Amino acid sequence: MASHSPARSMVRTFIRNYSAPVDSSIPANKLKYVPTSGTYPKGFRVSGTHVGVKASNTSKPDLAFVTSDTPASAAAVFTTNKFQAAPVQVSKAVLQSRGGANLRSIIINSGCANAVTGKGGMEDAQAMSDTATAQFQQSSQPEDDNLGSTSLVMSTGVIGQRLPIKKILTGIPTAYQNLDNDHNAWLTTAKAICTTDTFPKLLSTTFTLPSTSHRGTQYTLAGMTKGAGMIHPNMATLLGILCTDAPISPGAAQSLLTDAVNKSFNSISIDGDTSTNDTVALLANGAASPSPDAPAVPDDPSDQDYAAMASVLTSFAQRLSQLVVRDGEGATKFVQVTVRRAPSHADAKAIASTIARSPLVKTALYGKDANWGRILCAIGYTPGISPDAVVPGKTNVSFVPAETSKSKDEGVLDLLVNGEPEAVDEDRAARLLEDEDLEIVVDLGTGDQEAKYWFCDFSHEYVTINGDYRT
């Protein structure tokens, strides 16, 4: 027996170069993604509180509470996994019962996914929602009480284990007392939803709406997300919370969020796995409206305020989702793949997605090998695309250096031009692949549609992290 101990010890003490340090400090190369300040929406208060969901967690915040001072419009996009976790099912029911209106909060725990936990797990998720709702009972309107819970619920962590529900329910009133609206509160809340993440993912921005009713009013949008592994549409093992003080009708909130997620959180991949808990939610309380009778953004794509809000929300969601890719488990590369001149957007996105989840493409990038044949193979076996989407004699593939690339002045590296292979300058390729950021451009030459996707490479570290995730 003693002869086996050293090997086991070696596995457990493997040095992780690209994952979260044991002391939970943020790796030096990730600090640039953590904001030191922000502008946050009016009428929202948040908190991150330690309750010890995992026994090994003795100090880190693991219960997040996101609240609106007034009833807000709400929308959410959920995982399509057949084994939908209890919090997903409960949140769906809460949204449906209220028609996306008059929501007050989102309560989130990390450390345990409360997924595949049967009837008991459903009761736990409902208890979290009800207890969060109870914090607002004194200020709620009597007619609202008949509609039940006003809080969405999210959980993230290990699948198949029951929550230490007493710890969580006892901690919710404390989380309510901890609510605040300053930068530190938002950052602590973003930390509270992390699992294998190496850094908290938090963004904020300001914007305006063009109609006369809103002209001159500055609105704010803030968001946080978590995710580093089991990432692939639809959506990923990620949670996302977006809050804005702009007035948005419930119908518009849902359609705007759905479209934004399709172009952001549903356009990223780390490892091709789709989780049981994925949820991205939006709360809009209108607290920054110029007047109580200022119209909410309507559910009408032809409306100018709707179009402006769609642009803001989509761009913001893309930036937020890209932080997930940058924190991919064991990742050393951040890659954007752009598929141009496709017959349809669906064709372009399908091809981009196939490239993004190809283990051979991802390992070649990790090894800094310009093996474009693997990209070509992925294009060629993409399922479900139009018969004439890919014509070998019209296909072009190139590597494009990022704006931050040390070798950007050397220009684009063409790999395949109209189906003919280029003589690749291996030294140039090596310099380009030394960079953290890279763009792969595929020009199909068979249409006029385009899609973008964001992914990372596969390293030895990914296997190490997921080989002992539960321990």
Side-chain angles (χ1 to χ4, degrees):
M1 291 180 66
S3 62
H4 296 291
S5 298
R8 182 176 181 83
S9 177
M10 287 176 63
V11 171
R12 295 307 180 199
T13 58
F14 191 98
I15 297 174
R16 295 180 173 180
N17 297 306
Y18 307 110
S19 55
V22 176
D23 63 0
S24 300
S25 62
I26 299 171
N29 66 329
K30 301 295 179 67
L31 284 171
K32 59 189 174 185
Y33 302 120
V34 181
T36 56
S37 62
T39 303
Y40 299 101
K42 296 177 181 178
F44 284 97
R45 293 179 297 144
V46 300
S47 67
T49 302
H50 170 260
V51 298
V53 173
K54 295 179 74 172
S56 59
N57 175 18
T58 59
S59 61
K60 294 185 296 183
D62 53 2
L63 183 67
F65 205 8
V66 177
T67 74
S68 175
D69 293 341
T70 57
S73 295
V77 178
F78 300 99
T79 180
T80 59
N81 194 301
K82 296 295 184 183
F83 291 95
Q84 293 189 345
V88 170
Q89 297 180 58
V90 168
S91 291
K92 280 185 172 181
V94 170
L95 276 176
Q96 184 175 9
S97 69
R98 292 188 165 269
N102 298 319
L103 272 288
R104 294 299 299 272
S105 65
I106 305 173
I107 188 73
I108 313 110
N109 77 271
S110 61
C112 178
N114 190 14
V116 198
T117 46
K119 181 180 178 181
M122 288 291 292
E123 292 172 349
D124 291 345
Q126 188 64 58
M128 285 179 64
S129 179
D130 291 343
T131 304
T133 298
Q135 308 309 306
F136 305 94
Q137 288 296 332
Q138 293 182 352
S139 60
S140 64
Q141 297 298 320
E143 60 268 22
D144 287 344
D145 295 338
N146 296 327
L147 295 176
S149 296
T150 63
S151 181
L152 302 183
V153 59
M154 302 181 187
S155 298
T156 183
V158 177
I159 294 170
Q161 296 181 2
R162 288 287 299 275
L163 291 170
I165 193 62
K166 290 183 179 179
K167 287 184 179 181
I168 293 173
L169 299 184
T170 301
I172 289 176
T174 303
Y176 183 77
Q177 293 300 318
N178 291 342
L179 291 172
D180 208 336
N181 191 37
D182 60 17
H183 174 70
N184 183 63
W186 281 87
L187 188 60
T188 302
T189 306
K191 291 177 180 178
I193 66 175
C194 291
T195 51
T196 61
D197 307 60
T198 68
F199 67 94
K201 300 162 184 68
L202 173 68
L203 292 175
S204 62
T205 191
T206 59
F207 64 95
T208 59
L209 296 175
S211 69
T212 303
S213 300
H214 299 281
R215 194 168 297 149
T217 301
Q218 179 175 282
Y219 294 111
T220 304
L221 172 63
M224 65 187 77
T225 188
K226 64 79 53 182
M230 201 181 280
I231 303 292
H232 188 69
N234 294 299
M235 287 171 290
T237 187
L238 62 82
L239 303 179
I241 301 99
L242 306 174
C243 301
T244 182
D245 52 19
I248 304 176
S249 67
Q254 187 62 61
S255 57
L256 285 165
L257 182 65
T258 299
D259 187 59
V261 166
N262 284 336
K263 297 174 181 175
S264 58
F265 290 100
N266 277 350
S267 292
I268 61 173
S269 184
I270 287 177
D271 47 23
D273 273 323
T274 298
S275 183
T276 53
N277 290 58
D278 318 329
T279 305
V280 176
L282 169 67
L283 294 178
N285 65 8
S289 296
S291 65
D293 58 352
V297 174
D299 190 12
D300 178 7
S302 66
D303 180 83
Q304 60 180 333
D305 286 337
Y306 183 101
M309 192 70 236
S311 177
V312 168
L313 191 63
T314 298
S315 175
F316 186 85
Q318 287 176 342
R319 289 170 54 208
L320 198 58
S321 68
Q322 287 167 23
L323 291 177
V324 174
V325 179
R326 290 193 179 280
D327 201 21
E329 290 174 341
T332 70
K333 291 278 188 294
F334 173 85
V335 188
Q336 174 178 296
V337 57
T338 302
V339 178
R340 297 174 178 163
R341 296 206 295 161
S344 69
H345 175 76
D347 288 333
K349 188 171 182 179
I351 290 170
S353 173
T354 302
I355 294 170
R357 69 175 185 269
S358 165
L360 292 180
V361 171
K362 293 158 76 71
T363 49
L365 291 172
Y366 171 63
K368 303 174 185 177
D369 180 9
N371 193 340
W372 56 266
R374 294 181 175 181
I375 299 172
L376 211 63
C377 283
I379 297 170
Y381 68 67
T382 302
I385 57 175
S386 305
D388 299 324
V390 177
V391 177
K394 294 182 179 181
T395 303
N396 301 268
V397 178
S398 57
F399 284 168
V400 180
E403 284 298 314
T404 57
S405 171
K406 296 176 183 178
S407 63
K408 68 176 182 178
D409 292 338
E410 297 184 59
V412 174
L413 179 64
D414 291 323
L415 304 170
L416 188 75
V417 177
N418 291 327
E420 293 291 330
E422 294 292 287
V424 177
D425 182 340
E426 295 295 344
D427 290 337
R428 164 69 182 121
R431 288 190 296 274
L432 193 153
L433 291 172
E434 282 292 330
D435 292 317
E436 179 182 346
D437 289 18
L438 172 71
E439 182 180 6
I440 298 172
V441 174
V442 176
D443 187 330
L444 297 177
T446 54
D448 59 3
Q449 297 298 301
E450 177 178 304
K452 296 181 185 295
Y453 225 86
W454 298 274
F455 70 102
C456 60
D457 57 346
F458 260 160
S459 71
H460 302 287
E461 190 77 358
Y462 177 84
V463 178
T464 302
I465 293 169
N466 285 284
D468 64 357
Y469 178 68
R470 292 199 306 164
T471 53

PDB file of all heavy atoms in Angstrom, residues 195-217:
ATOM      1  N   THR A 195     -16.568  29.658  -9.036  1.00  0.00           N
ATOM      2  CA  THR A 195     -16.198  28.293  -8.621  1.00  0.00           C
ATOM      3  C   THR A 195     -14.732  28.077  -9.002  1.00  0.00           C
ATOM      4  O   THR A 195     -13.844  28.399  -8.238  1.00  0.00           O
ATOM      5  CB  THR A 195     -17.125  27.238  -9.258  1.00  0.00           C
ATOM      6  OG1 THR A 195     -17.205  27.459 -10.677  1.00  0.00           O
ATOM      7  CG2 THR A 195     -18.516  27.303  -8.661  1.00  0.00           C
ATOM      8  N   THR A 196     -14.472  27.548 -10.208  1.00  0.00           N
ATOM      9  CA  THR A 196     -13.075  27.374 -10.629  1.00  0.00           C
ATOM     10  C   THR A 196     -12.530  28.607 -11.334  1.00  0.00           C
ATOM     11  O   THR A 196     -11.424  28.582 -11.865  1.00  0.00           O
ATOM     12  CB  THR A 196     -12.917  26.147 -11.560  1.00  0.00           C
ATOM     13  OG1 THR A 196     -13.721  26.343 -12.733  1.00  0.00           O
ATOM     14  CG2 THR A 196     -13.335  24.869 -10.855  1.00  0.00           C
ATOM     15  N   ASP A 197     -13.288  29.674 -11.345  1.00  0.00           N
ATOM     16  CA  ASP A 197     -12.829  30.927 -11.950  1.00  0.00           C
ATOM     17  C   ASP A 197     -11.542  31.395 -11.273  1.00  0.00           C
ATOM     18  O   ASP A 197     -11.373  31.246 -10.058  1.00  0.00           O
ATOM     19  CB  ASP A 197     -13.883  32.026 -11.774  1.00  0.00           C
ATOM     20  CG  ASP A 197     -15.250  31.618 -12.268  1.00  0.00           C
ATOM     21  OD1 ASP A 197     -15.806  30.633 -11.744  1.00  0.00           O
ATOM     22  OD2 ASP A 197     -15.759  32.288 -13.166  1.00  0.00           O
ATOM     23  N   THR A 198     -10.664  32.013 -12.058  1.00  0.00           N
ATOM     24  CA  THR A 198      -9.449  32.576 -11.460  1.00  0.00           C
ATOM     25  C   THR A 198      -9.604  34.057 -11.149  1.00  0.00           C
ATOM     26  O   THR A 198      -8.769  34.632 -10.462  1.00  0.00           O
ATOM     27  CB  THR A 198      -8.228  32.400 -12.387  1.00  0.00           C
ATOM     28  OG1 THR A 198      -8.388  33.214 -13.558  1.00  0.00           O
ATOM     29  CG2 THR A 198      -8.045  30.949 -12.782  1.00  0.00           C
ATOM     30  N   PHE A 199     -10.669  34.685 -11.670  1.00  0.00           N
ATOM     31  CA  PHE A 199     -10.906  36.089 -11.345  1.00  0.00           C
ATOM     32  C   PHE A 199     -12.393  36.401 -11.452  1.00  0.00           C
ATOM     33  O   PHE A 199     -13.119  35.764 -12.220  1.00  0.00           O
ATOM     34  CB  PHE A 199     -10.097  37.024 -12.266  1.00  0.00           C
ATOM     35  CG  PHE A 199     -10.508  37.005 -13.717  1.00  0.00           C
ATOM     36  CD1 PHE A 199     -11.423  37.930 -14.220  1.00  0.00           C
ATOM     37  CD2 PHE A 199      -9.961  36.084 -14.602  1.00  0.00           C
ATOM     38  CE1 PHE A 199     -11.788  37.925 -15.556  1.00  0.00           C
ATOM     39  CE2 PHE A 199     -10.324  36.072 -15.942  1.00  0.00           C
ATOM     40  CZ  PHE A 199     -11.244  36.996 -16.427  1.00  0.00           C
ATOM     41  N   PRO A 200     -12.876  37.387 -10.661  1.00  0.00           N
ATOM     42  CA  PRO A 200     -14.293  37.777 -10.749  1.00  0.00           C
ATOM     43  C   PRO A 200     -14.538  38.543 -12.038  1.00  0.00           C
ATOM     44  O   PRO A 200     -13.707  39.340 -12.478  1.00  0.00           O
ATOM     45  CB  PRO A 200     -14.484  38.668  -9.525  1.00  0.00           C
ATOM     46  CG  PRO A 200     -13.127  39.244  -9.270  1.00  0.00           C
ATOM     47  CD  PRO A 200     -12.148  38.162  -9.638  1.00  0.00           C
ATOM     48  N   LYS A 201     -15.696  38.317 -12.643  1.00  0.00           N
ATOM     49  CA  LYS A 201     -16.005  38.906 -13.947  1.00  0.00           C
ATOM     50  C   LYS A 201     -17.126  39.932 -13.778  1.00  0.00           C
ATOM     51  O   LYS A 201     -18.288  39.566 -13.581  1.00  0.00           O
ATOM     52  CB  LYS A 201     -16.385  37.802 -14.925  1.00  0.00           C
ATOM     53  CG  LYS A 201     -15.255  36.795 -15.101  1.00  0.00           C
ATOM     54  CD  LYS A 201     -15.735  35.486 -15.691  1.00  0.00           C
ATOM     55  CE  LYS A 201     -14.587  34.505 -15.757  1.00  0.00           C
ATOM     56  NZ  LYS A 201     -14.131  34.069 -14.411  1.00  0.00           N
ATOM     57  N   LEU A 202     -16.770  41.191 -13.857  1.00  0.00           N
ATOM     58  CA  LEU A 202     -17.691  42.286 -13.581  1.00  0.00           C
ATOM     59  C   LEU A 202     -17.444  43.417 -14.571  1.00  0.00           C
ATOM     60  O   LEU A 202     -16.301  43.791 -14.820  1.00  0.00           O
ATOM     61  CB  LEU A 202     -17.467  42.798 -12.151  1.00  0.00           C
ATOM     62  CG  LEU A 202     -18.228  44.058 -11.720  1.00  0.00           C
ATOM     63  CD1 LEU A 202     -19.725  43.781 -11.637  1.00  0.00           C
ATOM     64  CD2 LEU A 202     -17.692  44.546 -10.372  1.00  0.00           C
ATOM     65  N   LEU A 203     -18.525  43.952 -15.146  1.00  0.00           N
ATOM     66  CA  LEU A 203     -18.438  45.083 -16.066  1.00  0.00           C
ATOM     67  C   LEU A 203     -19.571  46.061 -15.774  1.00  0.00           C
ATOM     68  O   LEU A 203     -20.621  45.681 -15.251  1.00  0.00           O
ATOM     69  CB  LEU A 203     -18.556  44.625 -17.526  1.00  0.00           C
ATOM     70  CG  LEU A 203     -17.428  43.785 -18.132  1.00  0.00           C
ATOM     71  CD1 LEU A 203     -17.825  43.351 -19.539  1.00  0.00           C
ATOM     72  CD2 LEU A 203     -16.116  44.560 -18.158  1.00  0.00           C
ATOM     73  N   SER A 204     -19.368  47.319 -16.137  1.00  0.00           N
ATOM     74  CA  SER A 204     -20.445  48.304 -16.079  1.00  0.00           C
ATOM     75  C   SER A 204     -20.241  49.305 -17.200  1.00  0.00           C
ATOM     76  O   SER A 204     -19.119  49.508 -17.679  1.00  0.00           O
ATOM     77  CB  SER A 204     -20.461  49.024 -14.723  1.00  0.00           C
ATOM     78  OG  SER A 204     -19.254  49.742 -14.505  1.00  0.00           O
ATOM     79  N   THR A 205     -21.332  49.930 -17.635  1.00  0.00           N
ATOM     80  CA  THR A 205     -21.257  50.908 -18.707  1.00  0.00           C
ATOM     81  C   THR A 205     -22.445  51.861 -18.605  1.00  0.00           C
ATOM     82  O   THR A 205     -23.442  51.551 -17.941  1.00  0.00           O
ATOM     83  CB  THR A 205     -21.253  50.226 -20.090  1.00  0.00           C
ATOM     84  OG1 THR A 205     -20.935  51.174 -21.109  1.00  0.00           O
ATOM     85  CG2 THR A 205     -22.615  49.614 -20.410  1.00  0.00           C
ATOM     86  N   THR A 206     -22.339  52.998 -19.249  1.00  0.00           N
ATOM     87  CA  THR A 206     -23.455  53.946 -19.324  1.00  0.00           C
ATOM     88  C   THR A 206     -23.892  54.078 -20.770  1.00  0.00           C
ATOM     89  O   THR A 206     -23.108  53.841 -21.698  1.00  0.00           O
ATOM     90  CB  THR A 206     -23.065  55.326 -18.766  1.00  0.00           C
ATOM     91  OG1 THR A 206     -21.952  55.838 -19.506  1.00  0.00           O
ATOM     92  CG2 THR A 206     -22.702  55.224 -17.297  1.00  0.00           C
ATOM     93  N   PHE A 207     -25.152  54.487 -20.967  1.00  0.00           N
ATOM     94  CA  PHE A 207     -25.682  54.622 -22.321  1.00  0.00           C
ATOM     95  C   PHE A 207     -26.874  55.563 -22.307  1.00  0.00           C
ATOM     96  O   PHE A 207     -27.388  55.929 -21.245  1.00  0.00           O
ATOM     97  CB  PHE A 207     -26.080  53.259 -22.885  1.00  0.00           C
ATOM     98  CG  PHE A 207     -27.198  52.573 -22.137  1.00  0.00           C
ATOM     99  CD1 PHE A 207     -28.521  52.694 -22.551  1.00  0.00           C
ATOM    100  CD2 PHE A 207     -26.929  51.817 -21.001  1.00  0.00           C
ATOM    101  CE1 PHE A 207     -29.555  52.077 -21.855  1.00  0.00           C
ATOM    102  CE2 PHE A 207     -27.946  51.189 -20.295  1.00  0.00           C
ATOM    103  CZ  PHE A 207     -29.268  51.318 -20.724  1.00  0.00           C
ATOM    104  N   THR A 208     -27.308  55.947 -23.489  1.00  0.00           N
ATOM    105  CA  THR A 208     -28.507  56.780 -23.636  1.00  0.00           C
ATOM    106  C   THR A 208     -29.459  56.128 -24.621  1.00  0.00           C
ATOM    107  O   THR A 208     -29.069  55.255 -25.402  1.00  0.00           O
ATOM    108  CB  THR A 208     -28.154  58.198 -24.132  1.00  0.00           C
ATOM    109  OG1 THR A 208     -27.474  58.092 -25.393  1.00  0.00           O
ATOM    110  CG2 THR A 208     -27.260  58.925 -23.132  1.00  0.00           C
ATOM    111  N   LEU A 209     -30.704  56.544 -24.579  1.00  0.00           N
ATOM    112  CA  LEU A 209     -31.715  56.099 -25.531  1.00  0.00           C
ATOM    113  C   LEU A 209     -32.126  57.294 -26.393  1.00  0.00           C
ATOM    114  O   LEU A 209     -32.179  58.426 -25.893  1.00  0.00           O
ATOM    115  CB  LEU A 209     -32.924  55.512 -24.799  1.00  0.00           C
ATOM    116  CG  LEU A 209     -32.645  54.236 -23.991  1.00  0.00           C
ATOM    117  CD1 LEU A 209     -33.885  53.817 -23.204  1.00  0.00           C
ATOM    118  CD2 LEU A 209     -32.179  53.101 -24.895  1.00  0.00           C
ATOM    119  N   PRO A 210     -32.420  57.076 -27.669  1.00  0.00           N
ATOM    120  CA  PRO A 210     -32.568  58.191 -28.613  1.00  0.00           C
ATOM    121  C   PRO A 210     -33.906  58.914 -28.633  1.00  0.00           C
ATOM    122  O   PRO A 210     -33.979  60.050 -29.112  1.00  0.00           O
ATOM    123  CB  PRO A 210     -32.312  57.522 -29.970  1.00  0.00           C
ATOM    124  CG  PRO A 210     -32.763  56.105 -29.779  1.00  0.00           C
ATOM    125  CD  PRO A 210     -32.402  55.773 -28.360  1.00  0.00           C
ATOM    126  N   SER A 211     -34.993  58.313 -28.141  1.00  0.00           N
ATOM    127  CA  SER A 211     -36.300  58.946 -28.291  1.00  0.00           C
ATOM    128  C   SER A 211     -36.395  60.216 -27.447  1.00  0.00           C
ATOM    129  O   SER A 211     -35.647  60.413 -26.486  1.00  0.00           O
ATOM    130  CB  SER A 211     -37.416  57.985 -27.894  1.00  0.00           C
ATOM    131  OG  SER A 211     -37.400  57.754 -26.501  1.00  0.00           O
ATOM    132  N   THR A 212     -37.332  61.067 -27.798  1.00  0.00           N
ATOM    133  CA  THR A 212     -37.525  62.339 -27.093  1.00  0.00           C
ATOM    134  C   THR A 212     -37.773  62.129 -25.606  1.00  0.00           C
ATOM    135  O   THR A 212     -37.286  62.892 -24.760  1.00  0.00           O
ATOM    136  CB  THR A 212     -38.708  63.109 -27.702  1.00  0.00           C
ATOM    137  OG1 THR A 212     -38.466  63.313 -29.095  1.00  0.00           O
ATOM    138  CG2 THR A 212     -38.897  64.446 -27.022  1.00  0.00           C
ATOM    139  N   SER A 213     -38.505  61.081 -25.264  1.00  0.00           N
ATOM    140  CA  SER A 213     -38.841  60.816 -23.856  1.00  0.00           C
ATOM    141  C   SER A 213     -37.616  60.519 -23.006  1.00  0.00           C
ATOM    142  O   SER A 213     -37.618  60.751 -21.792  1.00  0.00           O
ATOM    143  CB  SER A 213     -39.816  59.642 -23.769  1.00  0.00           C
ATOM    144  OG  SER A 213     -41.006  59.915 -24.470  1.00  0.00           O
ATOM    145  N   HIS A 214     -36.567  60.002 -23.629  1.00  0.00           N
ATOM    146  CA  HIS A 214     -35.391  59.577 -22.870  1.00  0.00           C
ATOM    147  C   HIS A 214     -34.142  60.393 -23.186  1.00  0.00           C
ATOM    148  O   HIS A 214     -33.113  60.219 -22.528  1.00  0.00           O
ATOM    149  CB  HIS A 214     -35.100  58.099 -23.147  1.00  0.00           C
ATOM    150  CG  HIS A 214     -36.209  57.185 -22.741  1.00  0.00           C
ATOM    151  ND1 HIS A 214     -36.420  56.808 -21.438  1.00  0.00           N
ATOM    152  CD2 HIS A 214     -37.187  56.577 -23.465  1.00  0.00           C
ATOM    153  CE1 HIS A 214     -37.469  55.997 -21.370  1.00  0.00           C
ATOM    154  NE2 HIS A 214     -37.959  55.850 -22.590  1.00  0.00           N
ATOM    155  N   ARG A 215     -34.248  61.270 -24.156  1.00  0.00           N
ATOM    156  CA  ARG A 215     -33.070  62.006 -24.608  1.00  0.00           C
ATOM    157  C   ARG A 215     -32.478  62.822 -23.464  1.00  0.00           C
ATOM    158  O   ARG A 215     -33.179  63.495 -22.717  1.00  0.00           O
ATOM    159  CB  ARG A 215     -33.437  62.911 -25.783  1.00  0.00           C
ATOM    160  CG  ARG A 215     -32.228  63.452 -26.542  1.00  0.00           C
ATOM    161  CD  ARG A 215     -32.676  64.085 -27.854  1.00  0.00           C
ATOM    162  NE  ARG A 215     -33.295  63.074 -28.724  1.00  0.00           N
ATOM    163  CZ  ARG A 215     -34.257  63.341 -29.600  1.00  0.00           C
ATOM    164  NH1 ARG A 215     -34.756  64.571 -29.685  1.00  0.00           N
ATOM    165  NH2 ARG A 215     -34.726  62.383 -30.374  1.00  0.00           N
ATOM    166  N   GLY A 216     -31.151  62.721 -23.312  1.00  0.00           N
ATOM    167  CA  GLY A 216     -30.457  63.457 -22.267  1.00  0.00           C
ATOM    168  C   GLY A 216     -30.347  62.714 -20.954  1.00  0.00           C
ATOM    169  O   GLY A 216     -29.668  63.174 -20.039  1.00  0.00           O
ATOM    170  N   THR A 217     -30.999  61.570 -20.852  1.00  0.00           N
ATOM    171  CA  THR A 217     -30.934  60.771 -19.622  1.00  0.00           C
ATOM    172  C   THR A 217     -29.844  59.722 -19.743  1.00  0.00           C
ATOM    173  O   THR A 217     -29.793  58.991 -20.731  1.00  0.00           O
ATOM    174  CB  THR A 217     -32.281  60.073 -19.351  1.00  0.00           C
ATOM    175  OG1 THR A 217     -33.304  61.054 -19.227  1.00  0.00           O
ATOM    176  CG2 THR A 217     -32.203  59.246 -18.073  1.00  0.00           C
TER     177      THR A 217
END
